[in-house]
Amino acid sequence: MQEQNNEAGNAYWSSRLAFILAATGSAVGLGNIWKFPYVAGENGGGAFVAIYLLCILLIGLPIMMAEIMLGRRSRKNPIAAMQFLAEESGRSKRWAGIGKMGVCAGFLILSFYSVIAGWSLAYVFRAIGGMFTNIDLAGANQMWTDLSSDAERTLAWHSIFMITVVIIVSRGVTGGLEKMIKLLMPALFLLLLVLVGISFTLGDADKAISYLFDVDFSKISTGVVADAMGQAFFSLSLGMGAILMYGAYLPKNASIAKTSLAIVAADTSVAVISGLAIFPLVFAIPGLEASSGPSLVFKALPQVFGQIEGGTFVGTLFFTLLFIAALTSAISLLEPVVSWLVTQRGYERTHAARVSGFIIWVLGLGTVFSFSIWSDATLTLAPKIGDKIYVILENQSFFSMVDFSTSNVMLPLGGALMAYFVGFMMKPEIVEEEMNDLPTALFKLWYFLIRNVAPVAALVIFIHVTGIGAAMSVLFGWS
Ligand code: TRP
């Protein structure tokens, strides 16, 4: 087959399926298996899950289509793409700013993502070593604390992960990624289903299902909405240009709508299935709190692997697949920056990957230390004003602040701006031309969502963040 190259110097995906695989590889990762259960647990379950699913459908899916379209139309990295598309429609070059914010968000996300992926890799070796056998909650807690509070060890795993990502991205993403994902994604999916089966028999399935799916409206607050929306963007890899970048390598004749639907369906089912695998255990293990935070999965699952027959094998397989899922996501976080450095700044690809990888590695130290030597250095701001306590920040570590500012602020903001751009800045003829495989009614629905619903994301962040800001101004007497 003739290899076609686009401006970024990369070959196009060999087919629509290859693109779907790569984008699914980007979307499915730690966000689904590690983050979704713990954020759902921190936000009390059902109400969060319901809002999350609504955000996926009404905001995530339309923005996924928009991002792919922006990429395919421009065939460029996010910064160059926004500039090109803005000029094409006679708008200001400043729209490239969305791409720049995306690059920053990508750096920040990958910096902590790499540390968590490092934990997964460390757990592969704990599994192989049979260390889960007959482990109880105290043992699992200890194992996690021993790892996460040991800065040297987590630093080593973080380094191994970043080096791996840099090596893969140096070689260009459209080559080997396909084959890897084609096999391993279905394997991960099947394994998760097996884990749901096991956890339904060992754990408390009824309680888990009602926890995840019974909606208690009294639990809805702007915090819950902001977390659910942030999680939707994070899980679908939206708002920073990763999907745009992959869309730049998409063959012209592929249907954007069908493609997006496949990716969103895969990603969302993996998240829900992970929830179904974790929560029956959470309710069956006395002392394990749904709101345990980032350690939840690492504390719940080893006990299962330690109890079942063949648990050493299943556990090793699970953490290996989790690690690979994290790797295919991390690649999509680094690729936009690298592609920009190569095409706009004249860097050689390997050099670009190394330089940006190094900066991300340094940023990652903040997360490494958040769980170890800085674990006491958390920030709590909960002023008592009159007789009311305003909780602004509660035990926030460096890690949680990076997480908040990316997932809950930068990604939804980037997504809302891209939606606004597609809805109001791009010439409608161009948008229609790119989306011409959609039946008219669906096109209208999509355009409506992009123009009217997706930008609301920005409003939600605005209210949430200004709420925090207002409370702070009272606290510090700002006027
Ligand atoms: N979606 C991935 C996950 O769920 C993480 C990720 C990859 C991502 N690329 C991204 C998040 C781009 C935001 C933006 O694990």
Side-chain angles (χ1 to χ4, degrees), residues 136-197:
D136 56 5
L137 181 62
N141 284 346
Q142 192 61 43
M143 184 183 282
W144 188 76
T145 313
D146 283 348
L147 174 69
S148 62
S149 65
D150 186 338
E152 264 170 41
R153 260 196 241 183
T154 38
L155 187 58
W157 294 116
H158 163 55
S159 312
I160 293 173
F161 184 79
M162 271 319 294
I163 291 170
T164 315
V165 176
V166 166
I167 291 175
I168 297 178
V169 172
S170 300
R171 294 186 180 161
V173 296
T174 42
L177 199 56
E178 250 179 272
K179 293 178 207 96
M180 183 156 110
I181 296 170
K182 210 178 212 155
L183 231 112
L184 296 170
M185 274 293 154
L188 177 65
F189 197 79
L190 285 180
L191 182 62
L192 281 171
L193 285 178
V194 171
L195 285 182
V196 172

Side-chain angles (χ1 to χ4, degrees), residues 327-365:
L327 198 56
T328 55
S329 300
I331 291 167
S332 77
L333 283 159
L334 191 58
E335 177 62 16
V337 198
V338 169
S339 166
W340 174 70
L341 286 173
V342 170
T343 51
Q344 253 68 37
R345 294 287 149 124
Y347 277 55
E348 196 247 322
R349 196 172 176 87
T350 310
H351 185 57
R354 285 187 192 156
V355 170
S356 31
F358 178 72
I359 299 172
I360 293 165
W361 178 84
V362 173
L363 285 171
L365 298 180

